[in-house]
Amino acid sequence: MKPPPFDYHAPTSVREAVEVLAEVGAHGKVLAGGQSLIPLLNMRLAAPAHLVDINRVAGLGEIQTDATGVRVGALARHAQVERSAAACLAQPLLRQALKLVAHPVIRNRGTIVGSLVHADPSAELPAVLALLGGSVRLAAATGEREVAAADFFTGPMESATRPGELAVSAFFPAWDGGTSFIEVARRHGDYAMAGVAAAVRLDDLRITAAKVVCVSVGPVPVVVEVTGECGNRPVASVDWRAVVAAVQDRIEPEADIHATADYRRHLTGVLVERALKAAADA
Amino acid sequence: MTTKLFGEPVRRREDARLVSGEGRFLDDLGQQALAAAFVRSPHAHARITSIDVDAALEVAGLVAIYTWEDLPAGVAEPLPLLIPHPALTHGRTAYPLARDIVRHVGEPIVMVVARDRYLAEDICSLIEIGYEYFKPVVGLEEAVSSTHLVHQDVPGNVGAHLVQEVPSAGGQSAAEAIAAAPHTLAFRLDIERSACMPLEGKGVYARWDADDESLRVYSSTQTSTSVRMAIAAKLGLPLPKVEVIAPDVGGGFGVKIVHPWPEEVLVPWAARLLNQEIKWTEDRREHFISSAHERAQIQHVQVGFDDAGRVLGLSVEILHDHGAYTPYGIIVPIITSTQLLGPYRIGAYRVEFSSIYTNTVQVTPYRGAGRPQGVFCMERTMDKIAQKLGLDRADVRAANFIQPDQFPYDQGLIFQDGRPLIYDSGDYPESLRKLKDLIGWDEFPALRESARAEGRRLGIGLGCYVEGTGVGPYEGGHIQITSDGRVHVSTGLTSQGQGHETVFAQIAATELGVPIERVSVVTGDTRRFGYAVGTFASRAAVMSGNAIALACRKVREKALRVAADALEADPRDLEITDGVVHVVGSPAASIPLATVAVLSNPLRYAFDEEAKRATQFATTGSMDRPPVAEGEEPGLEGKGYYSPIRSTFASGMHAAIVETDPETAEIRILRYAVVHDCGKMINPMLVEGQIHGGVAQGVGGALYEKMVYDEHGQLLNASFMDFLMPYATEIPHIETDHLETPSPLNPLGIKGAGEAGVIPVSAVIAAAIEDAEGFPIDRMPISPSDLYDLRLRSPR
Ligand SMILES: Cc1cc2nc3c(=O)[nH]c(=O)nc-3n(C[C@H](O)[C@H](O)[C@H](O)COP(=O)(O)OP(=O)(O)OC[C@H]3O[C@@H](n4cnc5c(N)ncnc54)[C@H](O)[C@@H]3O)c2cc1C
């Protein structure tokens, strides 16, 4: 459990970082919080020839909040965002999701942007970005681009980030309604067997907008718009079976050693109803 | 005894060191040593056709590469079969490095020694091994019916087969008793694999002293004395030239009693050959795939009982998965089949087990050591009887209990120590009464109803066990009181965090009448004590505790004799308080133990003021006697050995209330209660700690942990990411109550407590889930996904 040899780079500016990344291309990996990458290296499941440690890069730790949403810099740790009153006021779903991410010690190091680039279909933050329709800003030696969530997550552990690119920030839009995140994990802090985040808007107690995102039941976070199924009704008279069925139609759960595909489908259904009700209540 | 520390909740003396980073674990030692790493088989069953090291030889920093062919005679032989048994007709052990066939993923094939561990692992990845693949044997029932064999010369993959049969008082066999019984049941139970998973894996660090031709080995082991003997034998070294030390050991739970591990032979061998210090520290993946697992069994049960639920006949057939090798013999299935009977007095009993080879990691004892499976069997049986008869589950147990006036109680079986299974003492009805009080057994129906009204699903379960603890053959203790008044205690068995430094010091301080601050304890260091068995089977307190007490009594007697001479008093009038010997009733006539220590050792040379008192012209001893009288020895020093006639039997009962989510099938333990009886408690706080840790491991085994092998014999969850050891967040608050039924077998009246907590947990949780759900739970562990499946298959 020792990593294979690699060259270590520690740039101090975004410019320097993207230059190194351009040079090493596909042989390089960015090291942010290291909570996902270091285990992969130690288990020799990844063997990049170059590690570009961005922890000394100036200006990447910022959390900017305004009425439109929250922009999170590449070095903002899970714990910092979780504790940022302004960020969590502008977008409460961030905190609702972050308290489900791993354990405090991991949240102290792990970064939100790292989690997005890592693109684990069981991870909470990619789901949040997908649900809210946020975006990721990618910098390269040749310039910057902003990629929408819908285009960013391309497969399990695969994002639109290209070799040579550095994700510098992510934008989580505000939502003028209620949100919630509910999941069932085997142990406290584990990746969920199934989990659902919901965003709901009410008008005079009627559901006028509703959508959910599901984790661990597809190659990428699965966003399902259920406004139609909620039928512009109050929570108590929604046909929840129809809502659940609409979501279950869209997910592609697979079995693993912790849960069968059937159980994941069932569980997602249960959580869809619970999450939507909680979001309507929020 | 005047300084009464025995029985007090003294705080653990080792904790300050261990929790503040001051502990010295294996990997803290030998920072300059070369590192060893191993190429391990990626296949479950294959013949090695070639080993190509060419690319590896190019790497700067490589020191040596060894395969089986490089090993000298002693080292090249298969590792020892530690506990032979006549029923183990086909025992097999591995070579330290695979000779030609590998039989599980993880078996070591090549040893690499390099400048550091990083390089050693790089080099391992450059070694290419060719294989001819065989179909692996995975799964117990599959192994029995398979035409493929793990060992070509072991037909049917059966390593051992053993039947024990105890007829009823009226002479009926179990089969006859069951056939004649008013009620019968038959069912199948299934328990999956788990493993010890100490936080610190195994590790060995060896240094050869070429000038002295001696070897010092540090090993993260549960038995340094036996590792020492194994190394001396394997390497052909004189025993006095080999020292083995167990430094701070970060948990063992059984896996480190197995020895010598391949690395425990290979690392010292290479250190001597290369005349260089070498260290190997096991990593977590290695621990998963190349140490040991436990638990997996399938049991077929037949039981006959009367209208009161009394068991008239019980017949159990056990399939036990022992993995690819049997270094520890068949201790685990023997314990299952004997301890299965628990606190019950049953009619006729027949137990038969087959111990089966599979192409998986070998199975050796893990805390509980076969008991959790046996208790699962018996307690599920009790619940099924109650269910069939519509009786209260606690009442059925009570109807079967051995009564307090029936001790010693002979179960008629042969236990794991080769001695008769005779319970020494206990009070099971009282334990049950306390347990029912603690958990609120009789009030539970009302609680269940009020929860049901809120749409919540609750269940309650209980389980009882008896645990044979303190198995022999013996342990020893050595006490030396030096002329500074300090008391040095040593015992040969090792410590893995249990708190021996505290409890052994409590015993010595109490026996000798000295402040505990003056007592220091050393364990597991063959330089200090050469004779020992090891730490396992809840035996350390019973065995070494009593040995240390006996050693103290000898030293105390001598101290009183020497003091009596000096004080011109009768030794029978003397007492030791706070490290001072004094005449009872006249405190002025006194002499510190430090001075007694000086006087006990007649000197020629004075090295300080105190020592002057013992030199030849200073003493007033009689000129008619030699300075050291016949039969005496110099110094305030003594050894004691404790060797019990047989094991002493602790017992306990657990109960739990669980909640299952009607929708998500999540399982939550709301309350967990333990009543425990380990005889006299040396330190109730440490007993409590042992119970907590045990229950935590039990919860792991009941709800989280399993070893998931695929049909290729690959372990799919060989990391802490996927092997779900519970976190503190998964462990409920544990409520405890105690009973103290002293053991009549040993001077201190104590029984073991180390394994107790883990034993009945799977049985208890299964019972509670069954109670909540209304269908049988016959397979553990159980996950929410499993429970969801069961619900679909067993509509309420
Ligand atoms: C025990 C444990 C439990 C966990 N449980 C959860 C959980 O329940 N839910 C959850 O969501 N996560 C969980 N995680 C993962 C954790 O949240 C990680 O921190 C996160 O996934 C990655 O963030 P990081 O900063 O550590 O990234 P790193 O490990 O440093 O990098 C991860 C990957 O992203 C790339 N990368 C990182 N930053 C950038 C960047 N700015 N630009 C380009 N590429 C980049 C790296 O090259 C690498 O490929 C867990 C981790 C552990 C160790």
Side-chain angles (χ1 to χ4, degrees):
Chain A
M1 291 234 189
K2 303 284 185 217
F6 52 80
D7 284 343
Y8 177 79
H9 307 267
T12 52
S13 67
V14 171
R15 191 197 166 95
E16 198 189 331
V18 295
E19 275 167 9
V20 178
L21 284 169
E23 211 171 287
V24 298
H27 300 292
K29 274 255 169 227
V30 172
L31 175 68
Q35 298 303 296
S36 298
L37 184 54
I38 297 289
L40 290 176
L41 295 178
N42 284 351
M43 290 195 254
R44 296 189 176 228
L45 296 172
H50 298 268
L51 222 52
V52 183
D53 182 346
I54 59 168
N55 284 279
R56 289 175 193 77
V57 173
L60 288 184
E62 284 177 24
I63 305 168
Q64 294 162 0
T65 302
D66 62 23
T68 64
V70 182
R71 183 166 287 280
V72 177
L75 283 178
R77 314 285 164 174
H78 296 318
Q80 284 171 291
V81 177
E82 189 186 357
R83 288 190 209 119
S84 161
C88 296
L89 194 65
Q91 184 40 273
L93 185 54
L94 282 172
R95 186 176 283 162
Q96 290 161 354
L98 281 166
K99 64 180 183 9
L100 301 174
V101 174
H103 312 279
V105 280
I106 292 161
R107 299 203 290 267
N108 283 341
R109 295 283 315 160
T111 64
I112 289 194
V113 171
S115 175
L116 299 174
V117 177
H118 193 59
D120 190 320
S122 298
E124 288 79 3
L125 290 153
V128 169
L129 195 82
L131 181 72
L132 299 174
S135 59
V136 179
R137 184 171 297 166
L138 299 167
T142 50
E144 282 192 352
R145 61 183 181 125
E146 186 93 22
V147 181
D151 303 321
F152 189 73
F153 303 109
T154 55
M157 326 301 278
E158 279 172 27
S159 78
T161 315
R162 299 182 191 128
E165 280 184 323
L166 174 70
V168 286
S169 67
F171 181 67
F172 293 88
W175 168 258
D176 56 341
T179 59
S180 71
F181 204 134
I182 303 185
E183 67 177 36
V184 175
R186 283 296 272 120
R187 298 171 301 183
H188 185 88
D190 280 353
Y191 284 108
M193 291 185 286
V196 176
V200 171
R201 202 175 289 133
L202 299 180
D203 183 9
D204 195 19
L205 292 179
R206 291 169 187 280
I207 299 182
T208 55
K211 53 184 176 175
V212 295
V213 61
C214 310
V215 301
S216 301
V217 286
V220 295
V222 183
V223 180
V224 186
E225 176 69 46
V226 288
T227 307
E229 284 76 8
C230 289
N232 199 26
R233 295 162 195 263
V235 170
S237 54
V238 168
D239 176 2
W240 289 108
R241 273 204 211 164
V243 177
V244 165
V247 178
Q248 283 175 330
D249 266 0
R250 293 279 311 283
I251 59 177
E252 304 166 334
E254 284 180 16
D256 69 7
I257 64 172
H258 304 302
T260 62
D262 280 351
Y263 175 63
R264 284 206 156 88
R265 181 179 301 281
H266 164 82
L267 191 55
T268 302
V270 173
L271 297 180
V272 161
E273 183 175 337
R274 290 188 186 179
L276 283 165
K277 284 178 174 166
D281 235 15
Chain B
M1 284 195 261
T2 48
T3 317
K4 279 218 176 53
L5 285 164
F6 188 103
E8 292 299 313
V10 174
R11 282 180 167 245
R12 285 167 48 106
R13 310 170 85 205
E14 44 274 84
D15 280 354
R17 182 177 89 246
L18 295 177
V19 303
S20 63
E22 299 293 316
R24 290 177 57 74
F25 297 92
L26 199 279
D27 206 33
D28 296 320
L29 312 173
Q31 291 304 311
Q32 303 309 315
L34 299 176
F38 292 84
V39 181
R40 297 179 186 275
S41 175
H43 303 293
H45 201 186
R47 179 190 308 283
I48 299 164
T49 54
S50 63
I51 300 178
D52 179 355
V53 299
D54 284 357
L57 293 176
E58 305 296 313
V59 180
L62 169 70
V63 178
I65 298 179
Y66 302 114
T67 67
W68 179 82
E69 292 183 348
D70 299 309
L71 305 178
V75 179
E77 282 154 29
L79 296 164
L81 199 167
L82 292 168
I83 311 179
H85 189 287
L88 180 57
T89 50
H90 293 80
R92 297 289 180 272
T93 58
Y95 291 92
L97 292 174
R99 180 174 177 176
D100 51 358
I101 310 253
V102 284
R103 294 191 176 82
H104 67 86
V105 171
E107 201 167 338
I109 301 172
V110 183
M111 176 181 183
V112 169
V113 181
R115 202 178 56 221
D116 60 47
R117 180 66 179 252
Y118 291 82
L119 264 178
E121 290 190 19
D122 293 347
I123 294 165
C124 284
S125 66
L126 294 172
I127 294 172
E128 296 203 7
I129 302 180
Y131 297 95
E132 175 194 342
Y133 308 112
F134 304 136
K135 188 170 164 44
V137 177
V138 185
L140 257 176
E141 281 161 341
E142 293 80 352
V144 173
S145 60
S146 178
T147 52
H148 299 277
L149 297 176
V150 176
H151 298 270
Q152 281 317 306
D153 55 352
V154 181
N157 292 314
V158 179
H161 180 252
L162 183 66
V163 180
Q164 291 207 61
E165 171 120 44
V166 190
S168 70
Q172 271 182 326
S173 72
E176 289 163 349
I178 296 166
H183 311 277
T184 60
L185 283 168
F187 47 93
R188 174 187 184 275
L189 303 171
D190 186 336
I191 300 123
E192 287 194 23
R193 276 188 180 214
S194 184
C196 301
M197 286 301 147
L199 271 191
E200 183 197 26
K202 298 184 295 253
V204 192
Y205 160 47
R207 46 197 220 216
W208 174 250
D209 183 332
D211 297 327
D212 193 44
E213 297 201 314
S214 67
L215 181 69
R216 179 178 297 178
V217 179
Y218 293 86
S219 182
S220 188
T221 179
Q222 291 176 230
T223 174
S224 53
T225 44
S226 203
V227 168
R228 177 193 188 206
M229 288 192 278
I231 291 173
K234 288 270 177 198
L235 304 192
L237 287 168
L239 191 65
K241 290 292 188 184
V242 181
E243 299 167 345
V244 177
I245 299 160
D248 282 327
V249 173
F253 309 109
V255 63
K256 295 176 184 174
I257 191 62
V258 182
H259 65 280
W261 286 97
E263 302 85 0
E264 277 174 329
V265 177
L266 296 169
V267 169
W269 165 72
R272 180 186 179 200
L273 185 69
L274 298 169
N275 192 19
Q276 301 235 48
E277 295 187 12
I278 303 179
K279 182 168 74 173
W280 168 75
T281 309
E282 185 180 61
D283 67 30
R284 188 55 55 184
R285 182 168 164 77
E286 287 182 297
H287 191 76
F288 270 101
I289 63 172
S290 55
S291 58
H293 302 161
E294 214 231 276
R295 303 285 195 250
Q297 283 183 0
I298 291 171
Q299 304 162 340
H300 289 275
V301 186
Q302 278 182 285
V303 61
F305 47 98
D306 66 14
D307 294 338
R310 278 188 295 257
V311 177
L312 305 173
L314 177 67
S315 175
V316 183
E317 278 176 45
I318 299 169
L319 279 182
H320 173 77
D321 175 1
H322 64 219
Y325 299 105
T326 55
Y328 214 74
I330 47 174
I331 289 297
V332 173
I334 288 178
I335 295 179
T336 302
S337 49
T338 50
Q339 297 257 270
L340 192 149
L341 295 177
Y344 309 114
R345 176 171 187 246
I346 67 166
Y349 177 51
R350 180 182 191 277
V351 62
E352 169 177 4
F353 70 75
S354 298
S355 200
I356 304 294
Y357 284 105
T358 55
N359 287 114
T360 58
V361 171
Q362 68 194 22
V363 163
T364 65
Y366 157 35
R367 193 180 201 173
R371 293 177 188 86
Q373 301 94 310
V375 168
F376 187 67
C377 179
M378 194 71 204
E379 296 302 304
R380 299 282 58 219
T381 303
M382 289 291 161
D383 287 344
K384 285 171 195 289
I385 292 173
Q387 159 84 15
K388 174 93 184 254
L389 298 175
L391 296 176
D392 181 276
R393 291 169 288 166
D395 291 347
V396 169
R397 286 165 170 89
N400 284 284
F401 279 155
I402 296 162
Q403 296 302 311
D405 60 1
Q406 291 174 323
F407 293 95
Y409 185 84
D410 187 348
Q411 287 283 23
L413 297 163
I414 298 299
F415 191 42
Q416 64 147 324
D417 50 3
R419 291 173 170 257
L421 186 74
I422 301 176
Y423 296 175
D424 51 337
S425 63
D427 188 345
Y428 309 137
E430 177 61 8
S431 287
L432 183 62
R433 192 192 61 72
K434 278 178 176 265
L435 183 73
K436 285 171 71 176
D437 271 3
L438 189 59
I439 195 82
W441 183 264
D442 293 330
E443 296 76 47
F444 180 73
L447 184 67
R448 182 211 303 277
E449 283 317 308
S450 66
R452 183 173 291 158
E454 298 165 18
R456 297 169 59 205
R457 204 179 277 181
L458 264 48
I460 192 168
L462 88 166
C464 312
Y465 67 92
V466 167
E467 185 200 355
T469 70
V471 299
Y474 73 87
E475 285 300 332
H478 177 255
I479 308 293
Q480 185 182 17
I481 303 179
T482 44
S483 55
D484 52 6
R486 284 191 238 218
V487 178
H488 307 272
V489 180
S490 72
T491 184
L493 57 64
T494 61
S495 301
Q496 300 89 50
Q498 292 91 339
H500 296 154
E501 284 176 54
T502 305
V503 290
F504 293 158
Q506 281 179 262
I507 291 172
T510 305
E511 293 286 341
L512 292 170
V514 297
I516 195 166
E517 295 73 27
R518 250 180 248 171
V519 183
S520 62
V521 177
V522 168
T523 61
D525 184 340
T526 65
R527 295 172 301 179
R528 291 287 301 276
F529 206 97
Y531 289 91
V533 184
T535 298
F536 59 95
S538 307
R539 70 191 294 282
V542 178
M543 302 303 300
S544 283
N546 279 295
I548 288 165
L550 293 173
C552 285
R553 288 173 194 183
K554 276 193 199 165
V555 174
R556 181 174 192 273
E557 201 186 296
K558 175 161 188 189
L560 296 189
R561 235 172 21 242
V562 174
D565 260 2
L567 295 172
E568 295 178 344
D570 186 326
R572 281 168 301 185
D573 296 335
L574 298 181
E575 209 174 62
I576 314 177
T577 311
D578 259 351
V580 178
V581 188
H582 59 93
V583 178
V584 182
S586 62
S590 70
I591 177 170
L593 265 180
T595 312
V596 179
V598 172
L599 296 178
S600 70
N601 181 21
L603 293 175
R604 186 172 174 86
Y605 310 115
F607 49 85
D608 63 11
E609 281 303 311
E610 269 297 290
K612 273 190 197 164
R613 302 173 65 153
T615 52
Q616 55 197 21
F617 298 107
T619 52
T620 54
S622 156
M623 292 300 145
D624 305 331
R625 286 189 306 184
V628 178
E630 210 173 304
E632 288 279 13
E633 288 174 6
L636 260 192
E637 194 172 4
K639 262 188 192 171
Y641 287 92
Y642 174 64
S643 179
I645 178 90
R646 56 183 166 264
S647 298
T648 170
F649 290 80
S651 66
M653 302 182 187
H654 296 193
I657 297 176
V658 304
E659 175 166 6
T660 57
D661 187 303
E663 293 181 323
T664 63
E666 286 167 280
I667 302 161
R668 204 151 65 89
I669 303 171
L670 299 184
R671 288 189 55 204
Y672 201 95
V674 176
V675 172
H676 184 250
D677 183 353
C678 60
K680 286 201 171 168
M681 290 188 277
I682 306 167
N683 182 328
M685 188 167 69
L686 267 69
V687 170
E688 198 102 331
Q690 287 294 328
I691 290 172
H692 286 196
V695 170
Q697 274 181 318
V699 169
L703 296 176
Y704 299 100
E705 299 169 357
K706 56 183 177 181
M707 293 289 172
V708 188
Y709 276 100
D710 69 8
E711 72 272 23
H712 307 295
Q714 295 291 340
L715 183 57
L716 300 182
N717 59 338
S719 84
F720 279 159
M721 205 70 189
D722 286 316
F723 176 84
L724 307 177
M725 229 177 14
Y727 302 122
T729 39
E730 276 64 56
I731 304 304
H733 171 68
I734 299 160
E735 303 162 57
T736 52
D737 194 359
H738 297 277
L739 214 71
E740 288 190 283
T741 319
S743 171
L745 297 183
N746 64 66
L748 297 176
I750 60 183
K751 302 178 177 184
E755 295 168 276
V758 78
I759 295 173
V761 184
S762 277
V764 172
I765 303 291
I769 296 173
E770 180 171 294
D771 188 44
E773 296 287 324
F775 48 76
I777 304 292
D778 290 343
R779 185 189 166 100
M780 291 296 267
I782 185 168
S783 69
S785 183
D786 297 332
L787 181 56
Y788 172 73
D789 271 5
L790 283 175
R791 282 179 181 171
L792 292 184
R793 282 191 270 133
S794 356
R796 283 158 74 87

